[in-house]
Amino acid sequence: MQTACDGVTPPEANLSTCGSDQLPESEISIPNLNGETNPTVNGESSPDESVSGDTTPSTGSSSMEDIHEGSMLDTCESHDVCSPSNEVTPGIDDQPGDGISTTENIHRDTPGEINQIDGQTPGSNTEDDSGVTNQGDTYGTNDTHDKSSVSALNDLKADMASTTSSTSGESTPVSESQAENDGAGQDKKLDTQMVLVPDIGFCIKVHPPGAEPFDLPVSAMELVQEIIQVLVDREETCHRTCFSLQLDSVTMDNFAELKNVEGLQEGADVKVVEEPYTVREARIHVRHVRDLLKSVEPVDSYNGLDANSLSFLNTVTAGDILDKKRGKPDSLDCTPPDYIMPGSKERPLLPLHPGLNEHKTLPCVRVLTYSGWNPPPGHRKLHGDLLYLYIVTLEDKKYHVTASPMGFYINQTNDDEFNPNPKPATQRHLSHSLIDLLSQISPLFKKNFAVLLKKRALKHPFERVPTPYQVYSWMAPSIENSVDSIRAEDAFSTRLGYEEHIPGYRDWNEELQTTRELPRKTLGERLIRERAIFKVHSDFVAAATKGATSVIDGNVMAINPGDDSKMQMFIWNNIFFSLGFDVKDHYKDYGGDAAAYSAPASDLQGVRAYNNLDTEGLYTLGTVVIDYRGYRITAQSIIPGILEREQEQSVVYGSVDFGKTAVTSEKYVELLKKTASQLRVRPHKVLTEKGQEIELYSSVDCKGIIGNDRRYYILDLLRTFPPDVNYLPMENEELSPDMKRLGFPLQFRHKLVCLRQELIEAYAEAKYLEFVKQAAQEFQHIRQQREAKETASKNAQTESKDFDEKVEKLVNGCKDEVDLDVYAKKIMDSLTNPDSEKSEEHTKDVVRKAARAVGSLSETDFSILFNPDVFQPLVKHLNQEGEVYSKDKQLVKDAAQYLVMWQIPSFVRDCLDHTSSPLDGRSLTETMHLRGINIRYLGRVTEKLALFPELCYLHCIAISEMLCRVAKHLFQSHMHTVEPMSTASAIGHFLNCFLGSYPTPHAIVGSEEFQNKNSKTKKKGRKRGKGGPFTYNHDSNEWLAETPRSLWKKVGEEMKGHFNYTVDCDSIDSAVEKYNLQKVSLLRSFCQKTGIQILLREYFLDSKHKQCFSEEDIVNTFPVVKHIHPKATDAYHFLTSGQNKIQQGLLKDGYELINEALNLLNNVYGAMHPEISACLRLLARLSYVLGDYGEALSCQQRAVLMSERVLGIDDPNTITEYAHLALYCFANSQISSSLRLMYRARYLALLCYGENHPEVALFDSNIGLILHAVGQYELSLRFLENALKLNSIFFGAKSLKVAMGYHLIARTHSCKGDFRTALQNEKEAYGIYRQLLGEQHERTKESSECLKHLTQQAVVFQKKMNELCKGERSVNFPPLQIHVPTMANVLDTLSAVNGIELVHLVQLGPDELEKLRAQVAKRATSTEGIGAKEDSTGSMTVKADKNEVINGSTSVSECGQCPVKGKGQEIKSEIPSCTPMVNGDIKECIINNNAIRVVGSPAS
């Protein structure tokens, strides 16, 4: 990590790293969760009730009639209701929402498509002027095309101009809202301001040079620059980069809005005018031509360059699904590939990258490179020569081309003689565009380039837009390396004139800190600020990644070259790089290199925590952690002045030696006081070696340094959160008896173990609810005593009755009927409304007892704050024998115990309930982290999972994750002694030992010549490598001597040491057999974790006669990057408000809010981001619910494309997106595409986690239903029967999912005419329904009717068959009544299976509504598994069985308890859950507002 530097060598490198009920007799002030008392003053709500942190009173809920003309930004400036709160705001992807949409203005093919490629309305500015555009396709006359080179600071002026248009749209209502606060248990109406921003759309006529004019629809809110980007991407003008737009011979300002351009109106003639080239513009043009020629090839995506990544959706669907007509089911080829059929053990890898041959394009030119005669000599510069190009056409003709201000022309230079004079006029072919020149001199170029443009036009814009962070593929085909001068220039030059047009290197620290200092009072200011933060951060991550790989590759010289290689530090591009080794025994007492390796990740967690607080005046460093080729590198921005002085002189707060010495500063104390309570850090005093008392508001390791820029920086935040005592054995400290019985404390590889922030928050929340419960209990006791002494009036008794019931429920812990959070806040509000001063004594007594009961650090209020420096051997606390320090220690022990005794069992319970179903190791890790469970507890989690047979799939995933993580640790040490020339061989050998069945693999260490040179080097030895920063021990051949048996022995030892889990396996085969693992899934996970890219081919991992991997199979290595993720706070508020509207049944209002959240996300993140993909998914489902199947298909297509691009082609989220898209394709009658997508989803699922998973059961149900719809009954039965088998395993043989499976199979058999088998299956379904739901349930009745029909048909059929057997010839078969389901019926069933419940809105009169409520309540109380309650609004809520799946063919409400046959028109619609729902569960049916609606419950 970053340190001060004295001269060349730093002294050390240790920096790794609601209305309330009134209580007339009592006054009790109960503090809130943060330990602060929030009484209600003058009727105003407490600050923590406002999501935005604003105190502006609510003006009431606005309706559509309140819409008025004006600016959204103006409204936000006046009301400021969207400002982010000071609390830690969870990311959108952490919310229960289904997610978020995107905008882009790069591609415009049809007149009606104005900046609506992602569904954003006209005028939305996705291509922010920071440069988030398609690098290969969008180059203009400004700096906006340089994705990684343009600083966001230089673009703020342009951003200001575009913000208004970015957040508005044509005829789009814009809503600003505070999130609803349900704290009082009542629904507060959302204070919504609806503003309509006028936006005028019109058409202009564009006149490009040398081409026919064309009409271009534009918006008045757009910038001129956006029009330029559209022209650069458009097929007719894509070969031009250096031009301007003129209206009436006046050049238009690129950053002006079209509405401000004088004379620009409907039908205006806008001319594209060629501008003179400069050297920079000429180089940009050459690069753009190169990118055009490469735009169809996936080479850069496989190589992980320029933010390109893979997408195969259009290949899978055989074209753009939006361009297809509705298919006919009778003309389909529905046969699935053999390898995805149920029961198949084949796991081929080649289908992972389909259609590779389609990506191959005809070459357009053999060679296009900069000439060796560059740069132009002085006298030629005076003639206007800018640069020289060398071209070899497909006809094998060689040309030397001069770039001049007027364009490009052929000169008289040849390979041997420099003659820059132009050729005669007839041969020079002067052209402003290089493409035009090439088309004139090469007929084959002209022909092939036209074909290339057509292919390029077929690609979706999302396939070309750069991603914010680089995504790598773990497999790649063999790619032929061709001559590419631009690529060579990027690799070995500074690219002056292209990237570094800003003088010198970028000052990353200044950019990172300045963006955070931008104003943030209004929505417009916050959008600009968050956009700049995200842009600079993504650029910093890209630069840090490139620098880290250069360090490991030996391309960067150390700033302390005289030190040992492990101690060396580097500075490149104003970024500081340090290695994950223990420098100068800094971590000697904490685990050595293991601690040094872990410290950067812990430090990153601390940086994330402080960044989320976003405290004004307190700064953190830009931090990125990169793992590459077995090494860990930490990249940090540089504090101004830190390299000019000793570290001891720089640090003004904290300690540089783990607490032996410490200093403090008043300013830092002031700043850290603000963060301490939010991070739950208790202020504490420590003693230095000299006996000086130092009060700290953070861990002692946290260092405060004042930079030369006078900013207050904090760094080394690895111990922001308290230690995990379950992995810290200590003398004279014991855990509780319960923890001892479980074997804790355990020994770990290092002592820098800390609890996660999520656990701290969960523990504090649990203690807070317990505190309120204790206070309510004490208060109830006091009230009972008073009532025994006093005679209260009937009115007083009536007023207090409701509150007493709530207190009683809270005290008794009736969680099924009481929302603890809601009633806890109700009690707080009630108790904090004083009515008498006489009760102050009772108040203090109540709080004191409650605080003592929950272990609060304070006796007078609720205080759960942690001392992060407890149990640190080198830290001496003030009065270590005192009660306060004892409480500190006990609190940390209790939190660690809470993790083991509550969080882990809670996680397992959620998995049993299928509210959480991780799909692979990565999603399992994320789920654990969200609950505050560290990954070192994975062994403990695995032991718990093994107790439940229905969680066998998750047990396999957990075992696989532990094996891959252990193998990664061993791989890192394996690579430390490998010579660069043997890297591929060493990686292949490790894979053979880890995953291969061949017992004696061997590695080949290059040629004989190399071995001879190597032997010479062994004799001489060397202190440090000249070609790289590390020492290679040439006498060590450990990696060559590794065998499968020795490696798996190490795996077992590492599993025991790291996860405290025992695996009795001596080879991969025994592990696969014992734990039912899948080798290909292990290979995928290991390659992703270590950054290995292998050759795309089939690997015979089970071969025992030949080793599987060779050095030719190792294609590349790529970095694995960890960094923080800046959030879009206002978009989050709009999203949550939209989700609340959806839960209320206001689908259209929710759609508008979520669409506005989409616009805000596009303004902050640009065109591509995982949160935008999630939002698109939600918008697609909402469109499907509202009956707009076409819009659902469009949104979901973009969601799939974006998920492939930003997450990966085989990411679990991508798999789910494919399944959703298949449903919407079916709804649009694209049956063939629907099947292809489901086959793709099932294949990816098999590859990632195998067939043994509930998600595969869901996919099989989908495939079976679709095949059933097209009459493929035999194939349908294979998938439906497999789904039934899997559901029986995971949900139980008597679950409702299994009943639905039997019903679907029975229906399929009946369509075949096999009534006997259908009857048997329907009997099984009927038995389950009757047992679980009762005789009177609608589902049971339907099954009974189906049984009668099948029995009747079976009897008739059998009777006629018996007559035939007797030889009667005059037997007449009556027509069999086979109910073949319609497409609409199948679609309803598909919707139900995929978790989209139907809503029947029926207009009822008041009397009928009351009768219906009474009927529902009566049935609910008499039916097993169903409970009823009435909420505070008078709505009756019926809870159905959790695992009930809706039968889409029913005509009653889907909970089965509301047989609505009322008056009025029945409107059949559907409602989505706000979370991805894949199990088809029903949460509740709410009867309110004269309507019935069914709300889905979240599944996985």
Side-chain angles (χ1 to χ4, degrees), residues 957-978:
I957 291 175
I959 293 287
S960 299
E961 180 68 7
M962 287 193 293
L963 286 175
C964 290
R965 285 181 172 269
V966 165
K968 181 186 73 171
H969 299 154
L970 297 175
F971 174 77
Q972 289 163 350
S973 58
H974 174 86
M975 294 299 294
H976 289 173
T977 58
V978 176

Side-chain angles (χ1 to χ4, degrees), residues 380-609:
R380 289 308 305 174
K381 289 182 180 179
L382 299 179
H383 286 78
D385 291 2
L386 303 177
L387 52 84
Y388 304 122
L389 300 174
Y390 175 66
I391 297 172
V392 179
T393 65
L394 295 178
E395 293 85 357
D396 284 330
K397 294 183 178 179
K398 300 178 181 179
Y399 298 93
H400 289 263
V401 176
T402 298
S404 69
M406 298 302 296
F408 298 85
Y409 62 84
I410 299 174
N411 60 40
Q412 300 181 32
T413 301
N414 56 42
D415 294 344
D416 301 321
E417 180 182 357
F418 176 66
N419 185 357
N421 295 315
K423 286 194 172 184
T426 56
Q427 301 178 14
R428 72 177 67 170
H429 302 294
L430 175 63
S431 303
H432 193 267
S433 168
L434 186 58
I435 296 293
D436 291 339
L437 174 64
L438 290 170
S439 298
Q440 293 180 56
I441 64 177
S442 174
L444 286 178
F445 176 89
K446 184 176 182 180
K447 176 184 175 182
N448 293 352
F449 185 71
V451 174
L452 182 146
L453 285 182
K454 290 181 180 179
K455 285 191 174 183
R456 178 176 174 272
L458 294 176
K459 295 185 69 173
H460 193 280
F462 277 11
E463 296 181 79
R464 306 198 303 264
V465 179
T467 58
Y469 307 110
Q470 186 65 59
V471 178
Y472 302 92
S473 171
W474 65 279
M475 297 197 79
S478 178
I479 300 174
E480 183 179 352
N481 197 22
S482 58
V483 175
D484 190 338
S485 63
I486 306 297
R487 183 186 65 222
E489 181 189 31
D490 292 348
F492 296 110
S493 72
T494 59
R495 297 162 69 183
L496 290 174
Y498 172 69
E499 182 181 23
E500 279 81 18
H501 55 275
I502 304 173
Y505 284 108
R506 294 177 68 171
D507 189 342
W508 292 109
N509 186 73
E510 182 64 23
E511 291 188 33
L512 290 167
Q513 312 310 338
T514 303
T515 52
R516 290 195 170 272
E517 292 172 344
L518 292 173
R520 45 179 150 172
K521 292 183 179 180
T522 66
L523 175 61
E525 290 176 346
R526 288 193 297 276
L527 285 176
I528 294 173
R529 179 177 183 268
E530 290 174 352
R531 182 195 304 181
I533 289 174
F534 180 75
K535 170 59 181 167
V536 172
H537 175 74
S538 60
D539 286 355
F540 176 73
V541 171
T545 305
K546 183 177 180 180
T549 56
S550 297
V551 165
I552 301 303
D553 291 338
N555 293 336
V556 181
M557 183 177 180
I559 60 175
N560 54 339
D563 290 348
D564 184 77
S565 59
K566 292 184 177 182
M567 297 174 58
Q568 290 178 351
M569 292 166 285
F570 307 84
I571 292 179
W572 180 86
N573 197 3
N574 280 332
I575 303 175
F576 178 84
F577 298 92
S578 57
L579 305 173
F581 296 110
D582 186 12
V583 177
K584 295 185 177 180
D585 294 333
H586 188 69
Y587 294 105
K588 179 180 180 181
D589 298 330
Y590 297 91
D593 282 345
Y597 179 86
S598 176
S602 299
D603 181 56
L604 187 62
Q605 293 293 333
V607 171
R608 179 181 289 112

Side-chain angles (χ1 to χ4, degrees), residues 1271-1495:
Q1272 298 289 329
Y1273 300 126
E1274 290 294 341
L1275 283 174
S1276 174
L1277 281 174
R1278 293 189 62 179
F1279 286 98
L1280 290 176
E1281 288 170 352
N1282 190 63
L1284 175 63
K1285 182 185 73 173
L1286 293 175
N1287 283 328
S1288 300
I1289 296 173
F1290 303 130
F1291 297 94
K1294 297 298 182 181
S1295 66
L1296 293 175
K1297 283 187 177 295
V1298 172
M1300 172 61 85
Y1302 279 122
H1303 173 71
L1304 294 178
I1305 292 175
R1307 192 169 66 173
T1308 307
H1309 278 292
S1310 69
C1311 290
K1312 290 177 58 183
D1314 186 358
F1315 295 107
R1316 177 174 294 182
T1317 308
L1319 188 61
Q1320 293 173 352
N1321 283 278
E1322 193 60 45
K1323 281 182 180 179
E1324 295 287 345
Y1326 174 76
I1328 296 173
Y1329 284 139
R1330 185 178 61 178
Q1331 178 182 348
L1332 296 180
L1333 304 177
E1335 292 281 359
Q1336 301 303 315
H1337 197 279
E1338 286 296 330
R1339 191 69 54 75
T1340 311
K1341 292 180 180 180
E1342 285 176 15
S1343 184
S1344 178
E1345 292 295 328
C1346 186
L1347 273 176
K1348 292 179 182 178
H1349 169 74
L1350 291 174
T1351 302
Q1352 180 183 3
Q1353 295 300 310
V1355 169
V1356 171
F1357 184 77
Q1358 188 62 40
K1359 185 182 294 185
K1360 297 300 179 181
M1361 290 299 297
N1362 292 340
E1363 293 177 358
L1364 275 178
C1365 292
K1366 292 179 181 180
E1368 299 183 15
R1369 298 181 179 180
S1370 60
V1371 177
N1372 295 321
F1373 275 94
L1376 296 176
Q1377 297 179 15
I1378 298 177
H1379 292 171
V1380 179
T1382 63
M1383 286 293 177
N1385 182 270
V1386 175
L1387 181 60
D1388 289 343
T1389 309
L1390 273 173
S1391 300
V1393 168
N1394 286 277
I1396 302 178
E1397 285 76 19
L1398 303 180
V1399 175
H1400 298 264
L1401 301 176
V1402 185
Q1403 300 301 321
L1404 302 177
D1407 296 337
E1408 292 169 317
L1409 189 62
E1410 288 301 322
K1411 290 180 181 178
L1412 182 59
R1413 283 178 174 165
Q1415 184 181 6
V1416 169
K1418 182 178 178 180
R1419 291 191 179 185
T1421 55
S1422 61
T1423 305
E1424 181 183 356
I1426 299 180
K1429 69 175 183 178
E1430 186 169 350
D1431 64 15
S1432 58
T1433 62
S1435 298
M1436 183 65 67
T1437 301
V1438 180
K1439 283 198 172 182
D1441 182 271
K1442 177 171 184 55
N1443 292 321
E1444 180 173 358
V1445 182
I1446 306 164
N1447 185 346
S1449 61
T1450 60
S1451 60
V1452 299
S1453 64
E1454 301 309 323
C1455 68
Q1457 297 300 312
C1458 310
V1460 180
K1461 304 292 183 183
K1463 299 183 296 183
Q1465 182 180 5
E1466 180 177 84
I1467 306 173
K1468 186 174 181 182
S1469 182
E1470 301 166 14
I1471 190 167
S1473 164
C1474 289
T1475 54
M1477 297 176 52
V1478 296
N1479 288 326
D1481 304 339
I1482 305 175
K1483 183 180 180 183
E1484 57 189 12
C1485 172
I1486 300 178
I1487 309 171
N1488 193 16
N1489 298 329
N1490 295 341
I1492 301 173
R1493 66 187 179 88
V1494 178
V1495 182

